Amino acid sequence: AQTVTQSQPEMSVQEAETVTLSCTYDTSESDYYLFWYKQPPSRQMILVIRQEAYKQQNATENRFSVNFQKAAKSFSLKISDSQLGDAAMYFCASVRWGGADGLTFGKGTHLIIQP
Amino acid sequence: ETGVTQSPTHLIKTRGQQVTLRCSSQSGHNTVSWYQQALGQGPQFIFQYYREEENGRGNFPPRFSGLQFPNYSSELNVNALELDDSALYLCASSSPGLEGETQYFGPGTRLLVL
C-alpha cells in the first residue's frame, strides 16, 4: 500500500513570489509515478506535473518544478512567479506502475495568492 | 481532443435510494477510474475498469458497482445510499503505456444524500 502525506494544510504567497509545497510518500514499489494535481473552486482536478520514479532528473513544466528526493521519499512542488490563477487546492498523488489500485492522494494544501 | 466528461453535475437523493453516475473517457483512453472525494479531503479510489472488466478496487463495499462499455465510457452505481455517500465523485481516464499512469479527470458529480 502507498501513503502520501502533505503536512501543510494551507500556504500563502505574494503574487510574483515563489512558493514550495511539501509532500512525502511511502511505497514498497520500485516502479511508481508521482503527480501534483490542482483543484480550483470549480473542483475539476487538473494535472500540474508528473515525475517517473526511475528518472533522476526533476520534472519541470513552465513555472512549475519539482524536487524529487527518491531516497528521502520526498516530492515537493515549486511554483515560481505565482499568479492569482494559481490559487487552488494542490494534491500530491502516487501510483505504482500498472496502476490498477488507483492513485493515492494526500489531504491537500490550500494555496492562497496575496495580490 | 475531447476531455473527460461526467453527468450529471449535481444530484440530490434520499437515503436508501440508488444512483447512477456516468463518465465518458478522453479520446484514446481505455481505462476509467472512479474516486470519491469527501469535503475537505483528498480523493479516495473506488475502482478501475479496463477493457470492460474491473481490474482494481479500493476499500468500498459491494453496493458500489460499475460498468464499462465498448466505447470505454463508464457508469458508477451506488445502491442503498447512505448519508456518508454525500461527496464529489470524480472519474478519470488513462491509457496504460501512454504517458505512464497519468490519469485525467472529469469535472465531477456532486451527490447529496438527504
Side-chain angles (χ1 to χ4, degrees), chain B residues 26-46:
Chain B
Q26 183 169 309
S27 60
H29 287 179
N30 58 13
T31 301
V32 173
S33 303
W34 286 91
Y35 295 84
Q36 181 194 67
Q37 186 178 19
L39 201 60
Q41 301 294 318
Q44 297 290 316
F45 174 66
I46 302 174

Side-chain angles (χ1 to χ4, degrees), chain A residues 46-65:
Chain A
I46 300 166
L47 176 69
V48 175
I49 200 164
R50 174 184 70 236
Q51 176 78 45
E52 293 87 343
Y54 65 85
K55 289 186 178 179
Q56 293 186 346
Q57 187 173 8
N58 289 325
T60 63
E61 285 288 342
N62 301 313
R63 299 183 293 107
F64 299 88
S65 61

Side-chain angles (χ1 to χ4, degrees), chain B residues 30-96:
Chain B
N30 58 13
T31 301
V32 173
S33 303
W34 286 91
Y35 295 84
Q36 181 194 67
Q37 186 178 19
L39 201 60
Q41 301 294 318
Q44 297 290 316
F45 174 66
I46 302 174
F47 45 57
Q48 182 180 91
Y49 277 82
Y50 172 67
R51 294 186 175 179
E52 303 178 55
E53 296 286 333
E54 181 183 300
N55 73 332
R57 189 177 185 94
N59 189 25
F60 280 80
R63 59 189 186 83
F64 286 78
S65 63
L67 285 172
Q68 187 179 33
F69 301 99
N71 66 355
Y72 305 125
S73 66
S74 177
E75 287 183 354
L76 164 65
N77 299 291
V78 187
N79 294 320
L81 283 166
E82 301 177 358
L83 297 180
D84 284 348
D85 295 334
S86 295
L88 179 67
Y89 288 85
L90 295 167
C91 165
S93 74
S94 59
S95 191

Side-chain angles (χ1 to χ4, degrees), chain A residues 37 39 43-44 50 98 103, chain B residues 9 35 37 101-103 105:
Chain A
Y37 283 91
Q39 189 176 40
R43 79 193 184 201
Q44 178 149 11
R50 174 184 70 236
L103 291 162
Chain B
T9 56
Y35 295 84
Q37 186 178 19
E101 303 295 340
T102 304
Q103 298 185 16
F105 284 82

